[in-house]
Amino acid sequence: MSTTRANQLILAPSILSADFTRLGEELTECESAGADWIHVDVMDGHFVPNITMGPFIVEACRRVTKLPLDVHLMIEKPERHIEAFAKAGASNITVHVEACPHIHRTLQQIKSLGCKAGVALNPGTPSAAIDSILDEVDLVLVMSVNPGYSGQKFISSTVEKAGDIRNKLDALNSSAWLEVDGGIDTETLPKMLVAGATAFVAATAVFKHPNGATAGIKALQSTMRA
Ligand code: DX5
Ligand code: ZN
């Protein structure tokens, strides 16, 4: 299980829109359909209004799939919980810059536990907020909706921000993934691809596809090759 390359495009279904009564089957279907990572959205009811899942679910996912688990922490004081997510089997752990006054230290903490370290930005946060730690990260996550719920409308202004961060990563000769998350479907994915994104998260477009998750994954994959 390698997560060290950034030149391969990544499709990461978010289980936020999966049917939790049959989570194991949903993950198996994603893996069979060619998903690259499984994205796990962790929300605490403080940093974002919604409450979702914790290390217990990550541990359950770890038992049912070999795919890397891409854990997105939308929580306050994430440093208190990073070790638990790492022990549960997270491959990538992404924290929000808005939630981390000591972001440099938090990224080192993630890496010291053997995980890839990611930093996320809300739509209202400028790219300059991560300039000073850009050479420390394995992944940058540009939120293209306000975090909290799946099924929201894509915010177009985030395309320019993704392109801006692409340029900054290239200037550093960084191999970090540039991940986009929120409202990603067959219409919006190509815009982020052109902007230089390399990892695409999708909940609704996969798990709420009228013909099922496999059809959703195949449709998104076809736009990633275009
Ligand atoms: C939003 C989460 C996203 C969400 C995406 O707060 O971080 O990962 O699941 O859902 P869609 O793809 O439906 O916008
Ligand atoms: Zn997410």
Side-chain angles (χ1 to χ4, degrees):
M1 178 173 68
S2 168
T3 58
T4 54
R5 68 280 184 269
N7 50 356
Q8 179 196 337
L9 296 178
I10 298 291
L11 182 59
S14 159
I15 60 170
L16 192 57
S17 292
D19 178 353
F20 273 70
T21 65
R22 39 185 294 277
L23 182 59
E25 293 164 46
E26 296 268 54
L27 292 181
T28 302
E29 181 171 352
C30 287
E31 192 165 345
S32 301
D36 301 289
W37 297 346
I38 296 297
H39 186 83
V40 183
D41 284 310
V42 177
M43 306 186 191
D44 65 353
H46 293 276
F47 181 69
V48 289
N50 200 4
I51 300 176
T52 58
M53 50 199 125
F56 188 76
I57 295 287
V58 172
E59 195 274 334
C61 292
R62 185 69 294 154
R63 277 186 280 126
V64 87
T65 181
K66 292 189 176 61
L67 294 178
L69 299 177
D70 183 43
V71 175
H72 178 190
L73 297 182
M74 288 161 277
I75 64 176
E76 290 182 357
K77 297 186 172 40
E79 61 281 355
R80 295 186 302 181
H81 301 282
I82 284 167
E83 187 172 359
F85 283 101
K87 282 187 174 158
S91 311
N92 311 332
I93 297 180
T94 296
V95 294
H96 270 260
V97 66
E98 303 89 354
C100 294
H102 306 290
I103 183 69
H104 187 279
R105 179 186 294 157
T106 305
L107 294 168
Q108 306 312 316
Q109 182 190 3
I110 294 170
K111 290 196 263 191
S112 75
L113 291 162
C115 298
K116 299 296 177 193
V119 64
L121 300 90
N122 286 333
T125 303
S127 64
I130 58 169
D131 280 354
S132 60
I133 45 93
L134 211 48
D135 56 350
E136 298 288 337
V137 299
D138 300 302
L139 183 154
V140 178
L141 195 175
V142 173
M143 287 302 306
S144 37
V145 299
N146 287 297
Y149 302 94
S150 57
Q152 300 183 81
K153 189 177 182 309
F154 183 79
I155 299 172
S156 297
S157 60
T158 60
V159 176
E160 189 179 339
K161 182 161 64 178
D164 185 30
I165 294 172
R166 170 83 276 150
N167 291 338
K168 292 181 184 190
L169 289 172
D170 288 350
L172 289 170
N173 203 21
S174 169
S175 60
W177 289 285
L178 179 55
E179 184 172 51
V180 290
D181 183 6
I184 298 298
D185 58 22
T186 54
E187 299 291 315
T188 57
L189 190 153
K191 297 175 187 172
M192 286 301 204
L193 185 62
V194 168
T198 53
F200 304 89
V201 176
T204 303
V206 171
F207 293 106
K208 301 297 183 188
H209 190 283
N211 298 325
T214 298
I217 288 170
K218 298 292 180 196
L220 291 169
Q221 284 171 334
S222 69
T223 67
M224 288 164 71
R225 282 192 290 270

